[in-house]
Amino acid sequence: MEDHRGAGELWEQLSSLFPDKREQRLIYLTYNCGLKPREILRLCPQEFSTIEEIYRLRSSIFERLLCNTDRFRWLLGSGDENYQNA
């Protein structure tokens, strides 16, 4: 039950950082489903028109995640004390 609550909180934070529905969909397909860009294009051609578009969106998503690492660190269970000991 605790994992579901943590996942819900994580998705809430991701949704606030990525309000665009297409970005949210790409995050879900990439990180939850584990799909590669070519698989996404093949399975969802009505949502994404080119492989370049998927790569561009993924790059933008990744950069924003990197810029907001601290925002997610506590949700992922790696607080400062764990981070420093790594």
Side-chain angles (χ1 to χ4, degrees), residues 10-11 13-15 17-18 23 27 30-31 57-73 76:
L10 179 59
W11 188 252
Q13 290 293 317
L14 284 170
S15 295
L17 185 59
F18 301 99
E23 288 177 332
I27 290 167
T30 300
Y31 298 107
L57 284 170
R58 276 180 31 141
S59 177
S60 173
I61 288 166
F62 189 70
E63 290 211 13
R64 274 189 276 166
L65 285 172
L66 283 175
C67 290
N68 288 277
T69 303
D70 291 338
R71 182 175 179 179
F72 296 99
R73 183 173 289 139
L76 299 174

Side-chain angles (χ1 to χ4, degrees), residues 34-52:
L35 297 176
K36 305 279 189 235
R38 292 198 188 283
E39 294 172 313
I40 294 169
L41 185 61
R42 183 175 50 84
L43 296 170
C44 308
Q46 70 285 3
E47 295 179 68
F48 304 99
S49 56
T50 65
I51 195 78
E52 291 81 11

Side-chain angles (χ1 to χ4, degrees), residues 68-85:
N68 288 277
T69 303
D70 291 338
R71 182 175 179 179
F72 296 99
R73 183 173 289 139
W74 66 274
L75 280 171
L76 299 174
S78 48
D80 288 338
E81 66 281 351
N82 294 334
Y83 183 72
Q84 292 173 354
N85 292 330

Side-chain angles (χ1 to χ4, degrees), residues 24-36:
Q24 289 179 12
R25 177 77 168 141
L26 187 56
I27 290 167
Y28 176 80
L29 294 169
T30 300
Y31 298 107
N32 191 61
C33 299
L35 297 176
K36 305 279 189 235

